Amino acid sequence: FALIVIIPYDWWRGMYGVFLIVAFAFLFFIKTVIDSKAHFSIKPLDFAMLVFMLSIVLAAVISLFPEMSFSYLVLYIACFLLVLVIANSIQTGEKLNLMVEIFLLGVSFTAFYGLWQLLVVGVAVNPSTTDVRLNPGLVRISSTMGNENVYGELLVLALPFFWAVVFNSRTLFKKALFVSLFVVSFIGLVLTGSRSAWISFAVSIMVLLFFKN
């Protein structure tokens, strides 16, 4: 997970991820053959996930651009397969926490990289994602994602998990570390200039506070 977000968008293709996921699934299948304790179940696919899968398939079938839609369908199927592999291979809370922490370290790296882009390399205004008439001179970072809004989406998905790690950490050092990484990643979110991502983050905080209370 960390490598997927760290590797720059220009160096990565969606099919690379598909091949990796298929390889992981094959290795897990081999594990189920040689290890009697390992098993594969589709129970992690709950009702919401099944509805989402059905909507993706229907969208591809009735699409006006079937070739492009089919390529996205393959990506989504690979992601669903990855969910199943993760849910079946991670059996303890410790392993789940470790996976989340590694992912958050990768996200934090992208935030540092985005700040380096802004402060050292320099970021030009992107007219394809920024209305230069309403926001002249607005500089937005995209880090390794290649698109400011996509990077904002990544950060919105990741930021609440920083607090999950902080709340579940037993040592003051780890709490301080992930609070610091959260601050850097939050600055990255602000610098994306993605208003939809800002609103989504505000909603995620309200949901987090609701469950925390």
Side-chain angles (χ1 to χ4, degrees):
F1 290 109
L3 288 177
I4 290 177
V5 297
I6 288 175
I7 297 175
Y9 172 80
D10 294 337
W11 299 0
W12 190 260
R13 295 294 181 271
M15 292 307 298
Y16 297 168
V18 173
F19 293 145
L20 283 175
I21 293 171
V22 171
F24 289 149
F26 178 74
L27 291 175
F28 183 75
F29 171 75
I30 296 299
K31 181 180 179 180
T32 60
V33 173
I34 63 178
D35 186 355
S36 60
K37 296 181 180 180
H39 63 279
F40 187 84
S41 172
I42 62 172
K43 289 183 179 180
L45 293 180
D46 57 9
F47 178 74
M49 184 75 75
L50 292 175
V51 171
F52 183 43
M53 292 175 61
L54 179 61
S55 66
I56 295 299
V57 173
L58 289 177
V61 171
I62 64 177
S63 174
L64 297 177
F65 305 96
E67 184 176 350
M68 181 181 298
S69 297
F70 178 76
S71 63
Y72 279 102
L73 177 62
V74 172
L75 292 176
Y76 276 112
I77 291 176
C79 291
F80 292 135
L81 180 61
L82 180 61
V83 169
L84 287 174
V85 172
I86 292 174
N88 282 279
S89 58
I90 296 180
Q91 303 294 333
T92 64
E94 290 77 9
K95 290 183 178 180
L96 178 61
N97 288 335
L98 179 61
M99 185 193 74
V100 172
E101 290 169 6
I102 293 174
F103 170 69
L104 294 180
L105 290 176
V107 171
S108 302
F109 176 87
T110 67
F112 282 109
Y113 181 71
L115 292 175
W116 177 76
Q117 280 182 326
L118 178 66
L119 300 175
V120 179
V121 178
V123 180
V125 178
N126 186 355
S128 65
T129 58
T130 304
D131 191 332
V132 294
R133 296 173 300 175
L134 297 177
N135 303 284
L138 177 63
V139 176
R140 307 170 61 188
I141 65 172
S142 59
S143 188
T144 59
M145 295 292 104
N147 181 284
E148 298 85 356
N149 295 322
V150 173
Y151 185 44
E153 293 171 4
L154 170 66
L155 292 174
V156 165
L157 292 172
L159 284 173
F161 287 96
F162 280 94
W163 291 107
V165 173
V166 171
F167 292 146
N168 291 310
S169 297
R170 299 179 180 178
T171 65
L172 182 60
F173 172 78
K174 181 179 285 190
K175 290 179 182 292
L177 172 63
F178 279 91
V179 168
S180 301
L181 295 177
F182 169 84
V183 171
V184 175
S185 299
F186 176 75
I187 294 174
L189 175 64
V190 173
L191 293 176
T192 62
S194 175
R195 289 168 293 184
S196 60
W198 298 344
I199 295 173
S200 300
F201 175 70
V203 173
S204 72
I205 291 298
M206 290 189 289
V207 173
L208 181 65
L209 291 175
F210 174 79
F211 281 106
K212 182 61 178 175
N213 293 330

